[in-house]
Amino acid sequence: DPDYSLECKYFMVQCLGCEDLSFRIETHDYEAIYPDDENNWIHDIKIEIYPQPLKNHKILQGLYILPSKIRIVYNETINALKANCYLLTGVGFRAIIEAICIDKQISGRTLEIKINNLTKNRLITEKEAERLHAVRFLGNDSVHEMSVPKEKTLFLVLDIIEHLLQNLYIIDHQ
């Protein structure tokens, strides 16, 4: 509307920590003005960022240390979670475990056997194996049954996966 004063500003921004790129839109609504506590006139500004950042989550530090195949699957899974693609996120977490087994040259006909072999090779504890089996079940349900996991569950699984990546790759390197 030519009679309505609105401005959109577009930005490409980059995180100074993880170096991820995002797209930011600032919408300035000059018609919705009001005085602040000091009688200065201010207007509404709506800010949108794409992809959406994960709320209440600090991105894993040291991603550059991960083998490239694992890093790719991790990043794509995080992007699926940011985009609220919960089915794909569940499949992605399962794929991260598969990628770790490939990197660590863990053999086995099924992911269940591979997780058990991670334990036999003393790369993870029995308790960690139980957790990975739970992630495997979630991923299996996502890919085979098209069962969409709950957001809360996915954030718990994210903690499990990031703990695993920390233990197997990042801590030793640091």
Side-chain angles (χ1 to χ4, degrees):
D1 183 353
D3 296 326
Y4 196 90
S5 185
L6 184 80
E7 178 183 28
C8 291
K9 296 180 180 181
Y10 303 96
F11 303 90
M12 292 294 297
V13 294
Q14 185 174 29
C15 175
L16 294 176
C18 68
E19 298 183 357
D20 276 352
L21 290 174
S22 297
F23 182 67
R24 175 184 166 120
I25 302 172
E26 287 182 10
T27 305
H28 296 258
D29 186 352
Y30 297 112
E31 298 291 326
I33 60 172
Y34 50 90
D36 65 8
D37 294 338
E38 299 171 4
N39 278 338
N40 296 316
W41 289 95
I42 58 175
H43 63 278
D44 286 336
I45 302 174
K46 178 182 171 189
I47 297 174
E48 300 170 88
I49 299 175
Y50 301 96
Q52 293 279 333
L54 288 179
K55 294 178 182 160
N56 302 320
H57 179 262
K58 185 179 175 187
I59 294 296
L60 185 63
Q61 299 299 306
L63 284 176
Y64 65 93
I65 295 167
L66 299 177
S68 64
K69 289 181 181 180
I70 296 171
R71 187 174 54 251
I72 289 167
V73 177
Y74 173 85
N75 284 332
E76 289 189 8
T77 303
I78 293 299
N79 287 336
L81 183 57
K82 287 177 181 178
N84 300 324
C85 298
Y86 299 149
L87 185 76
L88 294 177
T89 303
V91 174
F93 285 138
R94 186 187 188 286
I96 291 170
I97 299 171
E98 287 277 8
I100 290 168
C101 291
I102 291 168
D103 179 66
K104 296 295 185 183
Q105 299 177 346
I106 301 299
S107 61
R109 192 174 56 82
T110 65
L111 185 56
E112 177 183 13
I113 294 169
K114 291 176 185 177
I115 291 170
N116 292 337
N117 288 339
L118 281 169
T119 306
K120 286 180 186 171
N121 288 333
R122 301 177 58 175
L123 292 170
I124 62 172
T125 66
E126 293 282 339
K127 190 66 174 173
E128 288 170 323
E130 289 176 25
R131 293 182 188 127
L132 292 185
H133 283 301
V135 174
R136 177 177 62 86
F137 291 136
L138 180 133
N140 288 348
D141 289 347
S142 294
V143 77
H144 298 298
E145 306 297 327
M146 298 304 139
S147 175
V148 180
K150 295 185 184 327
E151 180 184 39
K152 183 178 178 181
T153 302
L154 290 172
F155 275 95
L156 180 60
V157 170
L158 176 59
D159 287 342
I160 292 168
I161 293 295
E162 288 185 339
H163 176 78
L164 178 66
L165 294 172
Q166 282 275 359
N167 284 345
L168 292 178
Y169 297 98
I170 297 171
I171 290 175
D172 286 341
H173 185 270
Q174 291 175 339

